[in-house]
Amino acid sequence: MNHRTASSSSASRTGQPRKGPSEYGYFSDGKWLTAEAGTFEDFDPWTEEVFAVAARCGRAETAAAITAADRAFPAWARTTPAEKAGILRRAAAIVERRSEELAETMARETGTTLLNGRFQLGLVIQLIEQAAGWAYLPAGEVLPSDFPDTTQTVVRRPLGVVASFTPWNGAQILAWRAILSPLVAGNTVVVKPTELAPVSAGIQVAEILHEAGLPAGVVNVVTHGPGEAGPIADEFFENPAVRCVNFIGSVPTGRMLAERAGAALKRSVMELGGYNPLIVLDDADLDYAVRVAAFSAFFHQGQICLNARTILVHRDLYDVFVERLVAKAGALRAGSPLEEETFIGPLITPEALSRVDERVRDAVAKGARLLTGGTHDGPVYAPTVLADVPDDAAVSVEETFGPVVVVRSVESADEAVDLANRLEYGLTSAIISGDTHRAVRLSERIRAGSVRINLPTIDDEIQAPIGGVRDSGWGRSGPHSLHDFTDQIAVTVQSGERRLPSF
């Protein structure tokens, strides 16, 4: 079948004519195919209309995709750095050419704003261009030996087939991150995008790599309907050709997948959620701290694993900081993600909106003060600031995926660090201070994979590793992740004969 077939147009919830849904197959062995079980509907969070129709893959389609990846692996593992880099440079050019279309697709499929979509795609282009250079990074090292005429080396070799689970909330950047590292390391990949963003988080990446000249079978994409990931996951864990599971998503799902990977003796790489603290010290520039806090808490409607979930403010600044943060939150423009000035778009699903609202209501019922927000207009939840939140409220201890932030007054930097470390999450964090040396010293005590000083908790630089500690997972993105997707093999060469004991 043609992997994309336009159907009739329809009217949006705003009454404006919109493009009708497009139909997509799944991508296996370099071909777009139909699934035996048919298709499922992918909804636009803003209009609540069908955005796309995608293949409903099951175990058979997944097994075929794994077979294609396994068959393509030996040749891809031997592909030269120049060939890999050429494909990726072409892919970066295609992303740049299609960037407005890709940003609009993300807005329609996931509700992210055009601002966020363009931000993501700028990162994607940087990521692909940098990844082209990773192919030339050292692939091993030479070790000293205690024996004469002996050369001892350690080389990195690809694992085989990697199964990558990609999420909806940073659909383009996270999909490319989940694919490029194993790919550059010499592995082949089978991608399972979330059913909430099969197009942005998988299908479009396959389109681009295919156009760029990636050989058949090196990257494959299997999509599935709501609640139908089980058979695909079963095949990933039970098929011996899959050597690594690469997951970006929530802590509960990551915990379950890691257990299954351990039982199957498959390597796993996990980038999980976080309850990310932002600390405002007593010497911070107040206006700047408010801008950083609002961006950290509310960018992409609070639906990024790197969003700030709690803001810890020194008591000397607390009252004025809270007043200004509330004003800033109330001034953020909300509405259609396709309008240029929108900062707050819809939450991904009605169920997600209900969960956020329930968390806020639970906190208020337990004694928290609602300083702003706590309401919604259709699928858009207002930026919400909570104070005096008790520890037994879910929003105080669990990642709430929405535009909700908890503010707390602290007596000292030491108390702020203690509160920042009180939960077992450890993804990212931030410190705002007028004294960078003081902030750097304080950062040494924060247990998180990233500490951003005088920056938002969301601050992606492609060359820097991103990943968590403790319950926020293990493994890293970027060039640092090549070790996660390769085996270290010791190769020892003896020139001449070595004297062996007792022989």
Side-chain angles (χ1 to χ4, degrees):
M1 64 172 288
N2 187 326
H3 77 280
R4 183 188 294 183
T5 305
S7 62
S8 60
S9 62
S10 57
S12 72
R13 67 190 290 268
T14 60
Q16 298 299 317
R18 297 294 297 274
K19 299 175 184 176
S22 299
E23 185 172 343
Y24 296 85
Y26 71 100
F27 190 65
S28 180
D29 203 18
K31 298 181 290 290
W32 295 99
L33 304 170
T34 56
E36 183 179 341
T39 59
F40 71 97
E41 294 177 329
D42 176 23
F43 290 91
D44 179 328
W46 172 247
T47 67
E48 299 181 353
E49 297 166 352
V50 177
F51 162 71
V53 177
R56 180 178 258 126
C57 294
R59 190 149 185 170
E61 290 85 359
T62 306
I66 292 170
T67 298
D70 192 39
R71 188 166 53 242
F73 169 67
W76 181 249
R78 295 191 302 269
T79 299
T80 66
E83 291 174 279
K84 291 178 183 176
I87 292 168
L88 295 184
R89 284 194 294 267
R90 290 192 294 274
I94 296 167
V95 173
E96 189 165 16
R97 187 188 77 226
R98 292 180 59 181
S99 59
E100 281 302 302
E101 171 215 340
L102 298 174
E104 182 178 341
T105 297
M106 276 192 288
R108 295 189 62 204
E109 185 175 34
T110 72
T112 194
T113 62
L114 289 176
L115 170 70
N116 183 20
R118 290 167 182 156
F119 170 74
Q120 276 192 56
L121 290 162
L123 290 175
V124 166
I125 294 167
Q126 291 180 38
L127 172 62
I128 301 171
E129 290 175 342
Q130 287 194 27
W134 300 347
Y136 288 97
L137 291 175
E141 56 186 331
V142 178
L143 304 179
S145 174
D146 286 327
F147 296 95
D149 301 320
T150 300
T151 302
Q152 188 161 255
T153 61
V154 177
V155 296
R156 290 203 316 270
R157 292 180 181 161
L159 305 173
V161 179
V162 174
S164 285
F165 294 72
T166 59
W168 56 266
N169 60 317
Q172 280 282 336
I173 185 62
L174 296 182
W176 282 100
R177 272 177 41 192
I179 293 168
L180 283 176
S181 292
L183 198 66
V184 173
N187 303 283
T188 53
V189 186
V190 179
V191 183
K192 187 211 77 66
T194 169
E195 70 272 22
L196 299 177
V199 181
S200 299
I203 289 169
Q204 287 181 327
V205 176
E207 287 179 346
I208 291 163
L209 287 171
H210 182 60
E211 182 181 344
L214 190 73
V218 176
V219 168
N220 309 270
V221 177
V222 289
T223 56
H224 64 86
E228 297 174 354
I232 295 176
D234 290 343
E235 188 63 31
F236 282 164
F237 287 109
E238 295 173 21
N239 192 312
V242 175
R243 296 310 312 146
C244 178
V245 173
N246 182 22
F247 176 75
I248 303 173
S250 70
V251 172
T253 303
R255 193 185 305 277
M256 177 186 67
L257 295 179
E259 289 175 355
R260 293 197 66 180
L265 293 180
K266 296 181 189 288
R267 188 176 304 188
S268 63
V269 177
M270 298 279 160
E271 183 187 317
L272 308 178
Y275 194 91
N276 308 308
L278 187 151
I279 297 172
V280 180
L281 297 180
D282 54 354
D283 57 3
D285 179 293
L286 200 54
D287 285 336
Y288 181 66
V290 169
R291 294 200 306 273
V292 169
F295 180 86
S296 297
F298 304 130
F299 190 57
H300 192 26
Q301 298 81 263
Q303 296 177 122
I304 302 174
C305 57
L306 303 174
N307 282 115
R309 305 299 174 190
T310 183
I311 304 173
L312 309 169
V313 187
H314 192 276
R315 65 176 183 179
D316 292 348
L317 303 181
Y318 180 79
D319 289 340
V320 178
F321 175 90
V322 168
E323 179 183 351
R324 295 184 186 179
L325 179 64
V326 167
K328 184 71 173 176
L332 296 174
R333 179 166 173 173
S336 167
L338 290 170
E339 293 180 5
E340 292 286 343
E341 302 303 317
T342 298
F343 188 84
I344 301 290
L347 294 185
I348 184 67
T349 62
E351 293 77 16
L353 187 141
S354 294
R355 282 194 298 271
V356 170
D357 192 51
E358 287 170 7
R359 291 276 179 90
V360 172
R361 292 176 180 276
D362 170 69
V364 172
K366 291 176 177 175
R369 288 189 296 131
L370 178 63
L371 303 182
T372 189
T375 61
H376 66 92
D377 181 6
V380 177
Y381 202 85
T384 299
V385 181
L386 294 167
D388 302 330
V389 179
D391 289 344
D392 63 342
V395 75
S396 181
V397 293
E398 298 177 23
E399 182 180 42
T400 296
F401 235 51
V404 178
V405 71
V406 173
V407 290
R408 296 177 184 271
S409 174
V410 295
E411 296 291 320
S412 65
D414 288 338
E415 183 185 3
V417 170
D418 289 343
L419 286 172
N421 291 334
R422 72 189 177 97
L423 302 177
E424 288 304 310
Y425 293 103
L427 186 57
T428 188
S429 59
I431 303 171
I432 310 299
S433 172
D435 184 342
T436 55
H437 294 291
R438 177 191 183 197
V440 169
R441 291 194 299 273
L442 200 66
S443 73
E444 297 171 358
R445 297 163 51 195
I446 294 177
R447 296 196 291 270
S450 300
V451 184
R452 320 292 192 184
I453 295 172
N454 292 327
L455 289 166
T457 54
I458 307 163
D459 182 57
D460 278 359
E461 285 209 53
I462 300 306
Q463 66 274 20
I466 297 175
V469 300
R470 301 194 291 172
D471 282 4
S472 291
W474 53 84
R476 292 295 180 267
S477 66
H480 304 81
S481 68
L482 297 182
H483 290 283
D484 295 323
F485 298 107
T486 52
D487 283 321
Q488 291 184 315
I489 308 297
V491 180
T492 307
V493 179
Q494 176 71 43
S495 298
E497 295 184 1
R498 180 185 295 182
R499 183 183 294 276
L500 304 176
S502 302
F503 284 89

